[in-house]
Structures are given as C-alpha cells and as structure tokens.
Amino acid sequence: EAQVTQNPRYLITVTGKKLTVTCSQNMNHEYMSWYRQDPGLGLRQIYYSMNVEVTDKGDVPEGYKVSRKEKRNFPLILESPSPNQTSLYFCASSPTGTGSSGVGYTFGSGTRLTIV
Amino acid sequence: SQKIEQNSEALNIQEGKTATLTCNYTNYSPAYLQWYRQDPGRGPVFLLLIRENEKEKRKERLKVTFDTTLKQSLFHITASQPADSATYLCALNSGGYQKVTFGTGTKLQVIP
C-alpha cells in the first residue's frame, strides 16, 4: 500500500531532550515536507525537500532540523524541544516538487507531540 | 501581508444539497490551488488541484473553480451525503510548488 509512515504517533517528553520524528514514504516521491497544525492557525510548513540532500525552510523552521540522506526518509529533529513546539505534526510527500504531475501531497497519519 | 481565508469555520447543509466552500486570498500569485479533506485525528487527504490557467476542475461529485481576478476559489460538493462531513482545507502554492500555505479550513456538517 502506498503510504507515508510517521513514528511515533504520540510522544510526551520534557523540555530540552532531543527527539526525532521519523517519516518514510514508499512511493519513490522526490518531494517531502513537514508541517505543524495548531488550533486556529492551520497547517504551517516547517521544512521541505525537493530531493536527496536538497532541503529548504518553510514558514516556521525555527527550532527544527531536517535531513534527506535517502529518498524515502525525511526525519524531523528537535534538538532542544520547548513547550511552544507542542503540536500535531504531519509529514507529506509528492511525486515531484513542480506540481506537474497534477497530484497533491500524500500525508502521514500525524504525530501528536507534547513537550512539558 | 499574505492571507488565506476560508469563508467560515463551520457550514451546515442538508443532505442532497450542494455544499459550496470558499477560499479567498490576498497578496498571493498562486501557481496552484489545492483542496484537501481532513477527518478528526487524521492527515489531510488530497482531493483536487487546479492550476492558475485553469478555470474549473471536476472529479465525480466535486467541482473546483479558480478565479485569479477575484482571488477566489470555490469548492462544490453536489448531492452531499453525511459521509462528506469533514473539514476541508484549501492550499496555495506560489512561486512554485515547493512552498505551500494552507487555510485554516471549513468544517462541513451534512445533516441527514
């Protein structure tokens, strides 16, 4: 089944303890992206990647890091998490970064992250 | 500043009627506009993508229009069903496909 898999689904952790949220897709998509979703603010883009070793900032990149060493994986790293990073996080992928395929993004099921 | 507005936070409609959702934007020149459906606790699901040079796109009971002069997209669900109840998000890609901005969504409730 074609899908984007995120892990973990839920995580409660403490301020300052480094964490990684993994994202993997099995569709050979070039483009991958991370979002956070907060009530009243909607989905906001954190980082995106056009292909292996090519990443760039979205609208809210502060406090986050990403890497794209392999095409299928795009982990989100919080080096020193703070309570304002408590949110619902989504990873998504798409065949290309150009929109020429006419196909939108395939989203993962989400990771609910709580930082206390 | 750039802004995306979806007409209302919630919309109630009778089963069988056509639901019309609105997405307005300012200070964008979007190359693409997308619509997604999101159910509680789930990731958004892609529905339709329309390009800046397209006026209308259809898929089964769904229809999207895109008016770059009015800076508005309309999303229609004809013959609505209770199973269509969900939050619907519009998303704009400007300056390419890479960067995307989502609206906050309209929660649609279809009443039997």
Side-chain angles (χ1 to χ4, degrees):
Chain A
E1 183 191 350
Q3 60 185 0
V4 175
T5 303
Q6 294 179 229
N7 280 297
R9 286 295 310 276
Y10 304 91
L11 178 62
I12 301 174
T13 188
V14 296
T15 299
K17 186 177 180 183
K18 181 179 178 179
L19 67 92
T20 299
V21 184
T22 64
C23 174
S24 181
Q25 50 93 5
N26 62 0
M27 296 166 281
N28 200 36
H29 284 174
E30 290 182 354
Y31 176 91
M32 298 184 75
S33 188
W34 275 104
Y35 306 84
R36 59 179 290 174
Q37 188 171 38
D38 302 288
L41 295 176
L43 276 162
R44 292 180 292 167
Q45 191 174 31
I46 304 171
Y47 270 95
Y48 63 91
S49 170
M50 294 288 284
N51 214 324
V52 175
E53 303 290 2
V54 181
T55 63
D56 208 344
K57 297 176 182 177
D59 291 322
V60 289
E62 296 78 21
Y64 304 95
K65 280 176 58 177
V66 293
S67 69
R68 187 96 182 270
K69 294 186 170 61
E70 306 163 285
K71 200 171 188 178
R72 63 184 293 126
N73 296 324
F74 191 44
L76 179 70
I77 302 155
L78 285 72
E79 294 268 3
S80 183
S82 63
N84 65 10
Q85 292 177 297
T86 292
S87 188
L88 179 59
Y89 290 85
F90 289 102
C91 178
S93 73
S94 186
T96 72
T98 64
S100 58
S101 64
V103 175
Y105 309 119
T106 301
F107 280 82
S109 299
T111 295
R112 188 164 291 281
L113 187 56
T114 303
I115 300 160
V116 298
Chain B
S1 63
Q2 295 178 324
K3 202 172 178 183
I4 301 173
E5 282 186 346
Q6 295 195 238
N7 58 329
S8 56
E9 285 191 18
L11 180 66
N12 294 330
I13 193 163
Q14 208 71 35
E15 182 178 3
K17 301 290 186 184
T18 296
T20 298
L21 284 65
T22 305
C23 178
N24 294 301
Y25 59 92
T26 54
N27 296 322
Y28 281 101
S29 295
Y32 307 94
L33 192 145
Q34 305 181 50
W35 284 90
Y36 288 80
R37 169 187 173 135
Q38 187 174 24
D39 292 287
R42 312 284 292 268
V45 174
F46 171 69
L47 296 174
L48 282 165
L49 178 151
I50 188 164
R51 297 181 173 86
E52 61 181 331
N53 60 351
E54 296 176 320
K55 297 289 186 196
E56 183 179 297
K57 208 81 170 280
R58 291 176 186 259
K59 179 183 173 183
E60 297 170 357
R61 294 184 297 113
L62 309 179
K63 183 177 88 171
V64 171
T65 63
F66 193 12
D67 190 325
T68 54
T69 303
L70 290 178
K71 297 187 183 297
Q72 181 181 80
S73 175
L74 298 178
F75 177 77
H76 306 273
I77 306 175
T78 58
S80 58
Q81 304 164 0
D84 295 325
S85 298
T87 296
Y88 291 85
L89 310 173
C90 71
L92 278 76
N93 303 83
S94 58
Y97 188 70
Q98 307 92 309
K99 293 195 77 171
V100 61
T101 305
F102 281 82
T104 52
T106 297
K107 187 174 182 179
L108 175 68
Q109 181 86 17
V110 181
I111 302 161

